[in-house]
Amino acid sequence: MKNTTFTLAFFTLFFACAPIKKETTDDIEKKIDSIISLMTIEEKIGQMTQIDQQFLDTIQDLSDYAIGSLLSGGGSNPDTNHFEGWADMYDKYQKVALKSRLGIPLIYGVDAVHGHNNVIGATIFPHNVGLGCANDYELCRKVSEATAVEVAATGINWNFSPCIAIPQDDRWGRHYEGYSEHVDIVSEMGAASIIGYQTTKLGSVNHSIVACAKHFIADGATIWGTGMGNQSDKIDRGNAPISDSLIRAKYLPPYQKALDAGVGTVMASFNSINDLKCHANGYLFNDLLKEEMGFDGFVISDWQGIDEIPGDYKSDIVKSVNAGLDMIMVPGAVKGGGEHYKTFLRLFKEAVDEGLILEERLDDAVRRILRIKFRSGVMDSPMTDRTLLEKVGSDEHKAIAREAVQKSLVLLKNDGILPLSSSKHYYVTGSGSDDIGKQCGGWTIKWQGKLGNITTGTSIIDGIEEYTTTNRNNENKKFDAAIVVVGEDPYTEMKGDTDQLYLSEKDKESIDEVKKMNIPYVVVLITGRPLIVNETIENSNAFLVAWLPGTEGGGVADILFGDKNLQGKLSFSWPKRIEDIPCNYDNICEPLFPLGFGLSYSND
Ligand code: GLC
């Protein structure tokens, strides 16, 4: 029940001690103490609840249930899906949240995993698989900082990124969200990204947003055939049969680097470890992450992640909260599938009343959440800073994205045809030559991404035409050579699980068409992972891997025409055969190309 007098009085007290001097840790902890001392059980539970905005029954629920957080999952966009539309949506929700009895602001999360990728017109950067091949700390930091500016311009203050998975199996639909199969590359790029999002001190500038190291832990170590409840053709959310010593040697170091970088949040992983769901694993979160590693931020569940814990929903709540999850991404409603947030709130309260979850656990979780809210600056400045809007999609950001494309590309073969010449004429074809959606991949505008002109950007043929004319000009010239851009269509998470790591029939036809022209040809591959393309590589004059470059396709042409030299080196081993997968630097696999391979124009 809202008590205006109380709220005003509280705010007077609260902001009367607002910082004149820089807030110290003690100042923040004292403020948290006083807030917690005022909170009811229901308000503590509300603070630990995250809902997807698209599933709200009414906005007023934010205030009535003192909800702590909203998210926009992939595609959960405002009707006017541009930057101002997002800022209006965020401010609309925040205004209502501030009218709750204690007026604690929301923290609002999105998956801006390669730019503010839900928003039309945002700069879309290469996915992590490409950044891992660039393996350039400062570049990775710059990409994340530019992303943070575009996210903060919409009011959003929390990014479920970086994904610091270490993918071991190319058949995983989230392979491209990983930087590398190698722990050191993942550790460095993950830390760089966190500093890019947060700066070295969360909340120190107006574009500092809370980062989220995910998914804890060993999401990339699952076994084919154990995914999505042991489906034989799935690996995502599967089981990782690994020892504690392997977790500590291979999967934990990126999280230690993330904590050292000051990451504000960690997301629990859907997978199981030795058949125990991470979301219910108290050893991981209470003992390892919080006690042993000293993590003082908060842990968020994944999307309906607690629902996948064996047992009824109430026991899911009890197990996950007692395992150390501090905020639960509910997120949904009947139409969104999963449990309704009001069911969650009711069962959570029942569990506390029955002593199944102790109030001290709630206090610890709320303290962690409020600590990050204070550090992020949202407690003092809860509304969008619209001065940042002038920077979104800027030439500066596009230049960073183009540089990231240039540095992420990996050249696997070149008989001398590259670099191309602007004085020659090229026949450009293939499914990826003129498709922004394809070159962006998953997590773009929609959860699964989408082929076609889903947002603004420069396609690969657009980039090529900055250097020379092509067949798109319908010039019936004699072509000196061809460029065939082929590869994977967009996918995200389990939708991308497959053991069919081959070119499509359509792409093979494009290559055959060019072969019949009896001219040399370059293959450019758009992909989230290594594919089995041995013969295609063998028959081509050059083979360039572009990964998922994003909206600045001009960076591919910069490499093709030699304006820039190659820097990219494989951050994943490239297998010869499906049967060899998982094929990594640290197992007994003889790859077609090893981790670290990549040609350049200086050492062909
Ligand atoms: C998804 C993903 C996670 C993402 C979350 C919110 O299922 O597993 O990476 O941050 O839900 O969209």
Side-chain angles (χ1 to χ4, degrees):
M1 201 269 276
K2 189 178 68 182
N3 168 338
T4 309
T5 314
F6 184 93
T7 303
L8 288 176
F10 171 72
F11 259 88
T12 308
L13 162 76
F14 182 73
F15 284 105
C17 48
I20 306 294
K21 61 180 178 44
K22 209 79 196 108
E23 268 180 337
T24 66
T25 304
D26 282 353
D27 294 341
I28 289 178
E29 296 305 314
K30 286 194 183 86
K31 285 181 182 177
I32 293 171
D33 291 340
S34 60
I35 295 172
I36 289 177
S37 68
L38 297 170
M39 293 174 85
T40 65
I41 295 287
E42 289 82 351
E43 288 167 333
K44 293 175 182 176
I45 291 173
Q47 195 59 219
M48 295 170 67
T49 305
Q50 182 183 62
I51 302 168
D52 188 306
Q53 64 84 27
Q54 64 187 307
F55 301 136
L56 281 167
D57 289 344
T58 162
I59 298 179
Q60 187 54 31
D61 284 350
L62 295 175
S63 174
D64 295 350
Y65 295 93
I67 299 300
S69 178
L70 281 177
L71 86 143
S72 277
S76 176
N77 309 332
D79 298 338
T80 48
N81 185 12
H82 52 57
F83 282 90
E84 289 77 7
W86 276 79
D88 293 344
M89 174 178 74
Y90 170 86
D91 284 344
K92 174 185 70 176
Y93 291 134
Q94 192 67 285
K95 279 196 189 91
V96 172
L98 290 171
K99 289 180 182 150
S100 66
R101 187 176 73 89
L102 294 177
I104 300 172
L106 290 167
I107 184 168
Y108 197 123
V110 291
D111 296 274
V113 296
H114 62 144
H116 199 356
N117 37 248
N118 277 345
V119 186
I120 291 175
T123 311
I124 305 295
F125 298 88
H127 269 295
N128 287 353
V129 61
L131 295 178
C133 292
N135 196 11
D136 182 324
Y137 183 98
E138 178 51 18
L139 174 68
C140 193
R141 189 203 63 75
K142 280 192 316 187
V143 165
S144 291
E145 184 175 32
T147 299
V149 169
E150 299 201 7
V151 168
T154 60
I156 308 290
N157 36 40
W158 184 15
N159 191 2
F160 304 131
S161 177
C163 174
I164 51 177
I166 307 182
Q168 300 296 293
D169 193 311
D170 304 322
R171 293 168 290 190
W172 188 30
R174 306 198 74 162
H175 186 281
Y176 65 79
E177 295 186 61
Y179 294 106
S180 177
E181 69 188 31
H182 197 293
V183 57
D184 293 347
I185 296 176
V186 175
S187 297
E188 283 306 299
M189 293 306 106
S193 180
I194 290 161
I195 298 295
Y197 292 137
Q198 299 191 163
T199 75
T200 52
K201 182 172 173 26
L202 179 59
S204 57
V205 293
N206 62 355
H207 63 265
S208 172
I209 58 175
V210 180
C212 180
K214 71 183 187 180
H215 311 81
F216 200 83
I217 194 168
D219 43 350
T222 56
I223 302 298
W224 179 258
T226 67
M228 298 303 288
N230 284 316
Q231 293 179 48
S232 61
D233 61 346
K234 292 289 179 193
I235 185 171
D236 189 36
R237 310 188 186 189
N239 184 48
I242 53 177
S243 64
D244 186 65
S245 57
L246 183 61
I247 287 173
R248 289 171 178 273
K250 184 163 183 177
Y251 298 99
L252 208 56
Y255 284 93
Q256 188 54 63
K257 291 285 275 187
L259 267 56
D260 295 347
V263 72
T265 63
V266 168
M267 185 180 290
S269 189
F270 279 119
N271 62 278
S272 301
I273 293 176
N274 302 319
D275 295 316
L276 172 59
K277 276 284 183 185
C278 290
H279 275 68
N281 190 332
Y283 166 70
L284 292 182
F285 298 101
N286 291 330
D287 304 340
L288 192 50
L289 182 66
K290 293 179 178 180
E291 182 63 32
E292 187 177 320
M293 296 171 76
F295 177 57
D296 73 349
F298 72 87
V299 178
I300 174 87
S301 84
D302 205 332
W303 181 283
Q304 294 166 352
I306 70 169
D307 306 38
E308 297 189 8
I309 300 170
D312 63 39
Y313 193 49
K314 187 167 166 181
S315 73
D316 295 344
I317 296 168
V318 173
K319 285 175 187 169
S320 57
V321 172
N322 286 341
L325 274 61
D326 303 302
M327 183 181 281
I328 307 299
M329 188 186 297
V330 181
V334 174
K335 57 179 180 288
E339 301 286 350
H340 195 284
Y341 56 90
K342 289 176 186 169
T343 305
F344 172 80
L345 294 167
R346 177 175 55 79
L347 293 175
F348 197 153
K349 178 67 168 58
E350 276 181 20
V352 175
D353 292 345
E354 294 160 14
L356 300 173
I357 299 174
L358 301 178
E359 187 164 6
E360 65 194 54
R361 173 77 264 275
L362 302 191
D363 291 350
D364 170 52
V366 169
R367 173 175 300 282
R368 290 169 175 274
I369 294 166
L370 292 178
R371 181 179 291 147
I372 298 305
K373 287 188 173 183
F374 271 111
R375 287 180 186 166
S376 74
V378 73
M379 298 296 276
D380 299 329
S381 313
M383 310 313 288
T384 304
D385 176 352
R386 294 183 186 233
T387 61
L388 292 167
L389 283 171
E390 65 189 22
K391 297 185 177 179
V392 302
S394 64
D395 290 345
E396 180 196 356
H397 290 177
K398 287 183 167 55
I400 293 169
R402 189 162 182 155
E403 178 191 356
V405 173
Q406 295 156 1
K407 292 182 173 178
S408 61
L409 269 53
V410 178
L411 185 59
L412 297 183
K413 179 185 180 182
N414 183 22
D415 69 359
I417 188 175
L418 294 181
L420 303 178
S421 160
S422 294
S423 62
K424 295 186 173 178
H425 305 294
Y426 297 97
Y427 181 77
V428 183
T429 187
S431 61
S433 61
D434 194 17
D435 190 319
I436 297 289
K438 188 169 184 122
Q439 66 191 53
C440 286
W443 290 111
T444 311
I445 312 303
K446 296 177 177 296
W447 176 49
Q448 289 294 317
K450 190 169 179 289
L451 291 175
N453 291 324
I454 51 160
T455 188
T456 53
T458 304
S459 72
I460 291 172
I461 192 170
D462 290 337
I464 292 168
E465 288 182 342
E466 289 174 19
Y467 286 88
T468 185
T469 58
T470 71
N471 45 299
R472 189 163 71 173
N473 309 335
N474 296 321
E475 316 242 349
N476 297 321
K477 294 183 186 321
K478 182 182 172 320
F479 295 105
D480 300 290
I483 302 160
V484 199
V485 187
V486 294
E488 294 192 303
D489 290 346
Y491 54 82
T492 301
E493 300 186 51
M494 73 296 287
K495 305 281 188 188
D497 285 358
T498 180
D499 59 3
Q500 299 305 303
L501 296 177
Y502 309 106
L503 290 181
S504 67
E505 287 313 309
K506 178 183 171 194
D507 283 344
K508 288 176 188 167
E509 285 162 16
S510 297
I511 293 170
D512 289 344
E513 174 207 357
V514 159
K515 277 182 186 169
K516 289 175 188 147
M517 296 170 75
N518 287 320
I519 52 178
Y521 64 91
V522 179
V523 174
V524 178
L525 184 66
I526 303 279
T527 188
R529 52 198 159 187
L531 300 180
I532 308 303
V533 286
N534 309 13
E535 198 181 321
T536 303
I537 295 173
E538 205 172 307
N539 295 336
S540 67
N541 296 84
F543 194 94
L544 179 66
V545 187
W547 308 113
L548 298 169
T551 52
E552 305 315 306
V556 177
D558 296 338
I559 291 291
L560 287 171
F561 286 87
D563 185 57
K564 296 291 179 190
N565 197 355
L566 292 113
Q567 164 176 323
K569 306 291 182 192
L570 288 180
S571 63
F572 289 93
S573 307
W574 195 287
K576 282 178 183 151
R577 309 174 308 154
I578 290 285
E579 297 72 22
D580 293 345
I581 295 172
C583 177
N584 301 307
Y585 74 97
D586 54 357
N587 69 11
I588 46 157
C589 167
E590 181 56 44
L592 185 64
F593 298 102
L595 174 82
F597 182 86
L599 301 175
S600 69
Y601 295 145
S602 48
N603 66 2
D604 282 356

